[in-house]
Amino acid sequence: MARQERAIRTRRTILEAAAAVFDERGYTSATIGEILDRAGVTKGALYFHFGSKEELAVGVFEEQLAITLPPQSSKLQELVDSGLVMARRLRSEPLVRASVGLALDQGAMELDRTPAFGMWFDQNVQRLGEAKAQGELLPHVDVEETAELLVGSFSGVQLLSQLRCQRQDLERRVVVMFEHFLPSIAVPAVLARLDISVERAERVLAQAQVQVQQVPGRERVEVQEGAVPAQVSSGA
């Protein structure tokens, strides 16, 4: 178990170092040597976990969705929660910022960035499909088109927030996005019950942390201010 825990910590250290270098230098200019120096690990340790720079980038992409949020009776509430939590993580977690930066890096022509958007799109399709099955969506709503529009809308909103104020107002901008977006897809009775507020993300993350700590045998993760309990699972 101790060896497994060391491997998990080493992998995380490498990912955090790669994220920092990608964020500072861009994918094309970043080198494995710089990532090794930042992580303070051997080349063998890095290649044990990641076979190439591209695999490192994919690992960073996966951090966007590497979190399990508390389930809600409303699947549209879960959709809102995931967007607000993503906004919070973008402001507070370098790994998530680097993931979105890589996905939108127009200079990284040799990097396949479709997985970053594909993972988020698939997650939204699943939640919207479940919402439709529960009668939460208006009859005209096309699940895949709506998921694609949501991914594109969030990407644009976060980019504008980054350019204008380094994402300091991102959660408020995402709230506004949902306030305009949801009335066109949600049944009015469901819409009236949704919690779409700037404070929602903090409450959801606090609930998620409590649930992680209450599960017997699950590794407890120290959660710093603004951070989230990570769990490999399942937006750019």
Side-chain angles (χ1 to χ4, degrees):
M1 180 61 71
R3 180 177 298 177
Q4 182 180 8
E5 290 175 356
R6 283 198 301 272
I8 292 171
R9 286 196 296 269
T10 299
R11 185 180 189 277
R12 182 74 180 185
T13 297
I14 294 167
L15 274 180
E16 289 174 349
V21 175
F22 290 151
D23 197 33
E24 294 167 10
R25 303 267 291 153
Y27 178 80
T28 301
S29 298
T31 67
I32 292 293
E34 290 174 304
I35 294 168
L36 288 172
D37 289 343
R38 186 71 61 95
V41 300
T42 65
K43 185 179 293 187
L46 187 148
Y47 282 113
F48 176 81
H49 293 281
F50 304 98
S52 65
K53 188 168 75 167
E54 185 170 3
E55 284 189 18
L56 272 168
V58 172
V60 173
F61 285 152
E62 290 172 346
E63 286 302 310
Q64 286 190 50
L65 303 180
I67 178 173
T68 299
L69 299 180
Q72 308 294 330
S73 59
S74 167
K75 294 303 175 180
L76 281 183
Q77 184 65 67
E78 290 185 4
L79 189 76
V80 170
D81 291 350
S82 67
L84 291 172
V85 166
M86 174 68 82
R88 175 66 178 269
R89 296 178 76 203
L90 270 168
R91 288 203 303 109
S92 60
E93 294 186 43
L95 246 175
V96 178
R97 284 199 298 273
S99 176
V100 172
L102 277 174
L104 298 176
D105 185 355
Q106 298 298 310
M109 302 302 294
E110 71 273 33
L111 174 64
D112 180 9
R113 292 171 287 152
T114 55
F117 291 97
M119 288 182 286
W120 196 14
F121 171 78
D122 290 344
Q123 186 187 73
N124 285 337
V125 166
Q126 180 180 347
R127 286 206 175 104
L128 287 165
E130 292 169 346
K132 191 162 191 173
Q134 291 186 180
E136 297 183 49
L137 301 184
L138 295 170
H140 72 274
V141 174
D142 182 290
V143 166
E144 293 198 357
E145 289 182 353
T146 303
E148 191 172 66
L149 178 61
L150 181 57
V151 171
S153 299
F154 189 98
S155 298
V157 164
Q158 71 83 26
L159 181 58
L160 181 61
S161 179
Q162 178 192 10
L163 293 174
R164 298 197 66 172
C165 60
Q166 294 299 307
R167 299 194 180 98
Q168 291 304 306
D169 65 352
L170 181 54
E171 284 147 293
R172 178 58 195 160
R173 287 180 183 271
V174 171
V175 166
V176 172
M177 180 193 75
F178 277 126
E179 287 175 343
H180 285 76
F181 182 84
L182 289 170
S184 67
I185 68 169
V187 171
V190 174
L191 181 64
R193 296 194 298 269
L194 296 178
D195 182 355
I196 311 169
S197 62
V198 172
E199 299 79 19
R200 174 71 183 177
E202 186 173 354
R203 292 195 295 270
V204 170
L205 289 173
Q207 185 181 355
Q209 182 182 358
V210 169
Q211 289 186 356
V212 167
Q213 293 173 339
Q214 288 177 344
V215 175
R218 173 178 280 182
E219 178 186 3
R220 296 192 177 191
V221 181
E222 291 188 9
V223 181
Q224 299 176 351
E225 175 62 26
V228 296
Q231 177 185 351
V232 176
S233 67
S234 313

